[in-house]
Amino acid sequence: MPLSFYNTLNRRNEEFTPITAGEVRLYTCGPTVYNFAHIGNLRAFMFEDLLRRFLKYKGYKVTQVMNLTDIDDKIIRASKEQKKSLDEVTSRFKTAFFEDLDTLGMERAEVYPEATKHVTEMVDIIKKLLERGMAYEVDGNYYFKISAFERYGKLSNINVADLKIGARVASDEYDKESASDFALWKAWTPDDGEAFWETDLGKGRPGWHIECSAMSMKYLGNHFDIHTGGVDNKFPHHENEIAQSEGATGEKFVNYWMHCEHLIVEGKKMSKSLGNYYTLRDIHDKGHSPKAIRYLLIATQYRQPLNFTFDGLDAAKNALTRYNDFIRNLKDYPGAESSGEADGFIERARKDFEASLDDDLNISEALAAVFDFIRDINRLKAEDKLSSAERDRALETLDRFDSVLNFKTEAESIDAEVEELITKRAQARKDRDFATADSIRAKLDEMGVILEDTPQGVKWKKRI
Ligand code: AMP
Ligand code: ZN
């Protein structure tokens, strides 16, 4: 089966064909930087990391753009409440966002454009919409005229026939029932404080939706392959992006729209407004490792809601331990006479892993293939039926999988220091200097290293 994705626009699974052979241009709606990202937001970003990594695994050259929303209603509200400039509100959360990406082992996108640096591009689109009769002005505010865009409502499947012609909505976020002409540009009011630009449209600021139209088309062209976000972005954000972009250019905007279901807590969407959220730091502080959080966030197929629980996090940790123990033990295995079975297991694992992810990123099945593989190779090893060449091929296979999963712990980076401490500890024990031996053990424990006494000597591994 070829690579296929569920395309929200057409409400069905479709084979993926890029506009330019071998290349994928991908836009992923980024964070609104007025607070730390919560793990619900991070689930959306993690789905995009999986998508990106699998496209690369398939051999595509990926150009991913993820915007930073550093101006919108929520940020202006925060800046007013905290009596801080926009930049004071957003800059620390921009830094925190990149720290979160690194902590969770996400690959960096090619471009992270900031809305405040692209106001000129936004104004240009609004001017085009005015020229084409798709926008109008009322008291310095500019609105998109949805009755002028025939395809309005196609992505989120709303019935435009019921809409009141000429009704307007000024705020960035609203529900389907309030669908109406929406703000492209908002004239300055005293509430906006310092948040304004002097432009050909007057003194004011952009609406949220125009930001993503401007930044996606600037870096990916008027027509590109994939656009993603959480399901809450479908309406109005993405619906409005399509209207603005296609209204201004007359070209098709995006071929495939992919939306990630929510991370939920006790049946409710995790969100800042409900206050039922955890940041990555909260969970880390409770002693859970970033890799376990990564595993948990990635392991449920993106179109299924993910119910967050701490039990789920413990299960993720156990799965990761199995995965990493397997690699570590296999590396140490000297090899025996082959029974000729290993290559069949390798082949089947590769096929199942790829076929599962080809099917709209079915990660649960892909992981089942990985763990079946681990079980099969472990059996061969236990029965001494695995040659050293087969061992190496099995490790290479897992490395390929890991380029998509990134579940491998980075024990290698602390190798040298740990080995030295272990040698010192052994010497201290030999000298019957148990105080030193214990203090070294405590230090290793602090570094997250677990020691195991085996007949071959002391072995160690990194705690997950
Ligand atoms: P925001 O910072 O609010 O603009 O959101 C950033 C991304 O996180 C968007 O793609 C949202 O759709 C997504 N998102 C927000 N809440 C959740 C959630 N509970 N589960 C999954 N994705 C979410
Ligand atoms: Zn967006």
Side-chain angles (χ1 to χ4, degrees):
M1 195 175 55
L3 177 60
S4 62
F5 299 127
Y6 182 86
N7 189 353
T8 310
L9 191 61
N10 302 322
R11 279 169 274 282
R12 58 165 189 251
N13 258 48
E14 291 178 352
E15 179 175 345
F16 176 69
T17 314
I19 297 167
T20 308
E23 292 180 19
V24 179
R25 280 172 287 143
L26 166 68
Y27 188 83
T28 49
C29 279
T32 308
V33 282
Y34 72 111
N35 208 330
F36 292 111
H38 58 64
I39 56 166
N41 304 129
L42 293 168
R43 182 196 189 192
F45 303 142
M46 197 70 89
F47 137 66
E48 289 149 357
D49 185 59
L50 176 67
L51 172 64
R52 169 194 172 86
R53 284 172 179 271
F54 187 57
L55 287 166
K56 286 174 71 178
Y57 176 101
K58 300 278 289 180
Y60 289 107
K61 173 178 176 282
V62 175
T63 307
Q64 180 190 359
V65 177
M66 181 182 277
N67 69 296
L68 303 180
T69 299
D70 57 357
I71 171 87
D72 84 336
D73 291 352
K74 288 186 279 196
I75 295 173
I76 291 177
R77 215 176 300 135
S79 127
K80 205 176 151 218
E81 278 165 16
Q82 299 165 20
K83 298 192 173 50
K84 284 182 178 163
S85 70
L86 285 186
D87 194 48
E88 278 167 339
V89 172
T90 59
S91 61
R92 57 187 283 241
F93 297 117
K94 288 178 186 170
T95 310
F97 168 70
F98 287 110
E99 283 168 6
D100 286 354
L101 294 190
D102 291 345
T103 304
L104 287 178
M106 289 192 234
E107 271 186 6
R108 292 287 172 109
E110 279 59 36
V111 196
Y112 288 99
E114 297 162 286
T116 49
K117 305 216 166 78
H118 294 81
V119 174
T120 313
E121 288 83 349
M122 298 172 206
V123 170
D124 285 346
I125 298 176
I126 299 170
K127 282 171 143 177
K128 272 199 201 123
L129 289 169
L130 286 166
E131 274 165 30
R132 306 187 88 193
M134 294 190 154
Y136 59 93
E137 187 241 16
V138 181
D139 299 334
N141 299 299
Y142 292 77
Y143 294 93
F144 186 90
K145 188 171 162 186
I146 57 177
S147 60
F149 186 70
E150 206 188 290
R151 292 186 296 286
Y152 194 83
K154 288 282 179 293
L155 179 74
S156 53
N157 214 8
I158 57 165
N159 189 357
V160 249
D162 298 343
L163 301 181
K164 272 195 240 117
I165 301 286
R168 287 186 294 272
V169 55
S171 59
D172 285 335
E173 290 183 80
Y174 50 93
D175 55 29
K176 285 186 188 177
E177 284 64 47
S178 337
S180 46
D181 292 355
F182 60 89
L184 298 162
W185 182 263
K186 307 181 191 195
W188 182 82
T189 71
D191 270 354
D192 293 338
E194 311 270 292
F196 66 83
W197 283 260
E198 295 276 8
T199 71
D200 293 350
L201 302 175
K203 178 176 174 176
R205 61 173 173 109
W208 170 37
H209 316 295
I210 196 74
E211 298 180 8
C212 283
S213 282
M215 290 184 276
S216 59
M217 294 199 289
K218 169 159 183 178
Y219 296 99
L220 298 172
N222 293 350
H223 177 208
F224 57 91
D225 298 294
I226 308 178
H227 194 313
T228 66
V231 279
D232 57 319
N233 282 161
K234 241 192 271 180
F235 186 88
H237 188 47
H238 292 163
E239 195 71 64
N240 292 354
E241 272 188 57
I242 296 175
Q244 297 161 150
S245 300
E246 298 192 355
T249 66
E251 293 174 49
K252 177 152 189 170
F253 179 42
V254 170
N255 285 354
Y256 301 86
W257 287 88
M258 296 173 71
H259 291 100
C260 166
E261 262 301 333
H262 283 144
L263 182 138
I264 53 177
V265 197
E266 285 156 14
K268 292 207 178 70
K269 174 191 171 192
M270 180 174 280
S271 73
K272 280 163 200 156
S273 54
L274 290 176
N276 61 348
Y277 67 92
Y278 292 109
T279 64
L280 194 53
R281 285 157 188 79
D282 297 335
I283 298 185
H284 208 172
D285 289 349
K286 287 182 191 286
H288 296 280
S289 81
K291 283 280 176 190
I293 305 169
R294 178 180 174 87
Y295 189 102
L296 181 79
L297 293 179
I298 225 173
T300 300
Q301 201 260 1
Y302 76 97
R303 291 204 304 120
Q304 307 295 323
L306 165 57
N307 189 21
F308 175 78
T309 62
F310 283 97
D311 284 348
L313 204 50
D314 288 336
K317 180 181 147 180
N318 292 339
L320 269 179
T321 305
R322 254 183 84 206
Y323 184 93
N324 281 288
D325 280 357
F326 171 74
I327 298 174
R328 200 168 38 88
N329 294 333
L330 194 56
K331 273 187 184 159
D332 288 345
Y333 182 68
E337 197 176 323
S338 162
S339 65
E341 290 166 274
D343 286 337
F345 292 144
I346 291 175
E347 197 43 39
R348 195 180 64 202
R350 264 186 209 277
K351 261 207 192 131
D352 290 351
F353 181 79
E354 286 171 24
S356 306
L357 292 174
D358 274 346
D359 179 16
D360 198 26
L361 299 181
N362 191 338
I363 185 74
S364 339
E365 277 187 20
L367 290 177
V370 172
F371 284 103
D372 282 351
F373 177 62
I374 289 178
R375 185 202 55 216
D376 292 337
I377 298 293
N378 268 340
R379 181 181 56 79
L380 292 185
K381 192 159 68 70
E383 294 171 1
D384 268 333
K385 290 176 175 170
L386 188 72
S387 74
S388 59
E390 287 168 336
R391 171 202 63 204
D392 292 347
R393 285 200 288 279
L395 284 168
E396 273 164 30
T397 307
L398 218 73
D399 269 351
R400 281 279 289 149
F401 295 162
D402 204 66
S403 72
V404 178
L405 304 171
N406 193 15
F407 289 162
K408 248 163 67 168
T409 49
E410 274 132 39
E412 293 78 13
S413 59
I414 55 166
D415 258 7
E417 196 184 347
V418 171
E419 298 292 349
E420 196 187 317
L421 286 170
I422 289 175
T423 315
K424 276 193 184 150
R425 175 170 165 268
Q427 188 58 47
R429 285 170 82 178
K430 235 176 161 180
D431 300 344
R432 306 191 67 75
D433 177 1
F434 296 113
T436 304
D438 285 350
S439 81
I440 293 175
R441 190 173 191 121
K443 173 145 203 301
L444 287 165
D445 187 62
E446 234 171 70
M447 291 166 74
V449 170
I450 301 170
L451 299 181
E452 270 169 11
D453 287 307
T454 73
Q456 290 86 35
V458 177
K459 282 195 175 182
W460 66 276
K461 67 176 177 179
K462 189 97 172 70
R463 193 185 307 126
I464 288 172

